Amino acid sequence: MPTHEPMRLAEGEYRFATLVWDHEPLPSGQLAALADDALGWKKSTAYTVLKKLCERGVLQNADGCVTSLIKKEYVQQAESAAVVDKTFGGSLPQFVAAFLNAKPISDAEAAEIRALLDAACQKEE
């Protein structure tokens, strides 16, 4: 995991980066076509965002081949932590309670969450 500040992306940047994460490596022209199909972006918009994300060290465009430099999971962790911090004062239990009050989960999802919690607790021991 990178040692610099957590990577946060704007909504459009995240959706664009997801195209790369889901299809990498891919030619920049194919990425522009994917951005048109998935996001409704013009080619110029796709290349502008690609350049910006390359400058920020998220993506790499080497000889017309686009790959990621930052893993999707790393960005998701930063975004999740920011939501918990901003909206719930950093309280994960408050976040979970709010989520569960808004949307019921299945028994399978509950079991998966329990397994994640058990694994996280074992890491601390």
Side-chain angles (χ1 to χ4, degrees), residues 40-115:
W41 289 6
K42 294 181 181 178
K43 184 177 180 179
S44 60
T45 302
Y47 280 106
T48 298
V49 174
L50 174 59
K51 181 180 179 194
K52 181 178 178 183
L53 292 178
C54 287
E55 289 170 352
R56 291 180 59 199
V58 177
L59 303 178
Q60 174 178 272
N61 185 5
D63 298 321
C65 181
V66 180
T67 56
S68 64
L69 297 173
I70 302 286
K71 292 186 181 293
K72 182 178 186 177
E73 295 78 15
Y74 184 69
V75 175
Q76 289 173 327
Q77 289 170 358
E79 292 293 333
S80 299
V83 167
V84 172
D85 287 345
K86 176 183 173 188
T87 311
F88 300 95
S91 172
L92 186 56
Q94 286 181 10
F95 167 78
V96 172
F99 182 84
L100 293 175
N101 286 333
K103 178 184 174 199
I105 62 172
S106 68
D107 290 341
E109 289 172 319
E112 187 175 347
I113 292 168
R114 281 186 198 95

Side-chain angles (χ1 to χ4, degrees), residues 25-39:
L26 73 162
S28 58
Q30 182 182 347
L31 176 58
L34 284 170
D36 180 28
D37 290 343
L39 308 173

